Amino acid sequence: MKKKQTVTIYDVAREAQVSMATVSRVVNHNHNVKPATEKKVMEVVKRLNYRPNDVARGLASKKTTTVGVIIPNVTNSYFAALARGIDDIAEMYQYNIILTNSDGDEKKEVKALNTLYSKQVDGIIFMGNELSPAVRDEFKEERIPVVLAGSVDPQNDFPNVNIDYQQAVHSQVNELVKTGNQRIAFVAGDLKRAINQAFRLPGYREALQEHNLPFVADLLFEATDYDDGYELCDKLLAQQATAAMVSNDDAAAGIMNGMNDRGVNVPEQFEIATSDNTKITEMTRPTLSTITQPLYDVGAVSMRLLTKLMDNDDVEQKQVLLPFGMKQRGSTKSA
């Protein structure tokens, strides 16, 4: 069977009786072409089923118009919302996206980065629970633009887009104190992560201090997912906690159902507040009170910031904090 020949830009130019530069302008949506010429070229493009070679274009222009996105869990609704914002802005600015799943594992993140570098991506958007030293070193060594989306960098080495996690937790814990809670648990996936050590925990402690409540280390717990949250309930009750500030919606849903199954009424006997306002907060009964984050906007602003960096535009603000809100639902009492 004879191998099908690849149609080249030269073939299109010859058939349309125009220069290769004209074909390039048409397929790259450069409007500096007469409408009649553009129509003639596009008719040939469709007839020959011409597909521009992105790699070849990248070699010629030094740009591949491709961005790599590293996401720790493609099934997590938090990161999925960010990815949607990234993709919409990428499409607007005619960038292609290569999405890689890292499972939040440092070795997988490094491997994913090397794969993306080999594809000559023009920039990287990193979503992860932690910026490890190995990943940080990879970013610095490669020297292509990087933006962290929903991922903190206490050292501020890289541009990032987030909310003020410290103030958000402070505000939510303050609401739990107002409804009479004096033993409020703090629940996070990994207490040692930078986002918890540098931002969330200080916000938690500040709110307690503001109301002259002691900081009790025994009220700090770790829960990564729904099952962790469900199993955590016995420990929360053993510590006589009457409320929990949770950093993960899945874990918060687990705590909710765990309390209900143990005969503990939410919110009358135990209040739960969470952090991400993903769809799961509306699926529980009662629904979950939460910090509201503009997740789509975090992704969209991250991608827009990256386009400016890739174009070498002047960027005054490289650490962007978007506004957060509070949404009271059925899992907490009214203050």
Side-chain angles (χ1 to χ4, degrees):
M1 183 174 172
K2 189 175 180 181
K3 187 178 179 181
K4 185 178 179 181
Q5 285 189 320
T6 302
V7 177
T8 67
I9 191 172
Y10 173 78
D11 298 323
V12 176
R14 186 187 63 231
E15 289 289 318
Q17 297 182 329
V18 297
S19 69
M20 286 188 288
T22 298
V23 175
S24 178
R25 282 195 289 270
V26 171
V27 299
N28 285 294
H29 307 288
N30 186 324
H31 299 294
N32 192 25
V33 179
K34 293 180 180 179
T37 302
E38 182 178 3
K39 181 181 178 183
K40 180 170 66 171
V41 171
M42 287 308 299
E43 287 174 352
V44 175
V45 166
K46 291 178 182 178
R47 177 162 55 83
L48 298 182
N49 196 28
Y50 171 62
R51 300 275 187 244
N53 188 319
D54 286 338
V55 174
R57 285 194 296 180
L59 290 172
S61 66
K62 306 296 184 184
K63 291 183 70 176
T64 62
T65 62
T66 302
V67 168
V69 177
I70 297 179
I71 186 169
N73 185 349
V74 294
T75 65
N76 184 292
S77 52
Y78 174 90
F79 293 111
L82 266 66
R84 179 63 186 273
I86 292 169
D87 187 61
D88 283 355
I89 301 302
E91 183 178 3
M92 182 185 301
Y93 286 90
Q94 298 182 353
Y95 276 93
N96 301 307
I97 293 291
I98 300 177
L99 186 67
T100 60
N101 187 79
S102 70
D103 293 323
D105 180 82
E106 178 184 326
K107 291 182 179 178
K108 287 187 177 181
E109 288 170 349
V110 172
K111 183 179 179 181
L113 278 173
N114 288 324
T115 299
L116 293 172
Y117 292 150
S118 70
K119 296 182 182 297
Q120 298 182 317
V121 295
D122 297 325
I124 299 280
I125 291 183
F126 179 84
M127 291 183 273
N129 296 313
E130 189 79 2
L131 189 60
S132 70
V135 171
R136 188 182 295 275
D137 289 344
E138 286 286 339
F139 285 159
K140 289 181 177 179
E141 185 174 334
E142 193 63 26
R143 295 181 180 278
I144 69 171
V146 173
V147 173
L148 311 182
S151 301
V152 300
D153 177 20
Q155 299 177 33
N156 280 335
D157 286 337
F158 305 102
N160 54 79
V161 182
N162 292 281
I163 65 165
D164 188 337
Y165 299 107
Q166 183 169 334
Q167 186 57 46
V169 169
H170 181 282
S171 299
Q172 185 67 80
V173 173
N174 190 51
E175 292 300 308
L176 293 173
V177 175
K178 285 181 181 179
T179 55
N181 295 289
Q182 296 192 353
R183 290 185 66 81
I184 302 168
F186 177 81
V187 183
D190 184 344
L191 292 169
K192 294 180 181 178
R193 283 179 181 154
I195 190 171
N196 295 319
Q197 287 292 318
F199 301 99
R200 286 176 175 151
L201 274 170
Y204 169 73
R205 297 182 75 145
E206 284 173 1
L208 296 178
Q209 186 176 9
E210 210 170 85
H211 294 275
N212 297 314
L213 293 176
F215 171 78
V216 180
D218 287 341
L219 288 174
L220 304 182
F221 299 94
E222 294 186 340
T224 302
D225 53 26
Y226 176 90
D227 291 336
D228 288 346
Y230 190 93
E231 295 300 324
L232 186 62
C233 291
D234 290 330
K235 294 180 180 178
L236 289 167
L237 295 173
Q239 288 296 327
Q240 299 182 311
T242 60
M245 173 69 240
V246 190
S247 70
N248 177 289
D249 290 353
D250 290 349
I255 294 171
M256 167 83 76
N257 287 351
M259 289 297 178
N260 287 334
D261 288 351
R262 288 164 174 81
V264 179
N265 188 282
V266 177
E268 283 77 10
Q269 294 173 284
F270 194 91
E271 294 186 67
I272 305 169
T274 187
S275 300
D276 298 333
N277 195 32
T278 57
K279 196 66 179 176
I280 197 169
T281 61
E282 300 178 79
M283 296 167 65
T284 59
R285 290 296 177 271
T287 52
L288 284 161
S289 297
T290 182
I291 295 165
T292 60
Q293 301 188 43
L295 299 180
Y296 177 93
D297 292 347
V298 170
V301 172
S302 297
M303 184 62 211
R304 182 65 184 108
L305 178 56
L306 186 63
T307 63
K308 292 182 178 181
L309 295 171
M310 291 186 296
D311 289 338
N312 294 314
D313 293 344
D314 290 333
V315 178
E316 293 182 8
Q317 190 177 5
K318 293 186 178 181
Q319 279 73 44
V320 181
L321 290 180
L322 298 181
F324 68 87
M326 311 277 290
K327 184 164 288 187
Q328 182 176 339
R329 295 197 180 106
S331 66
T332 57
K333 303 172 190 173
S334 298

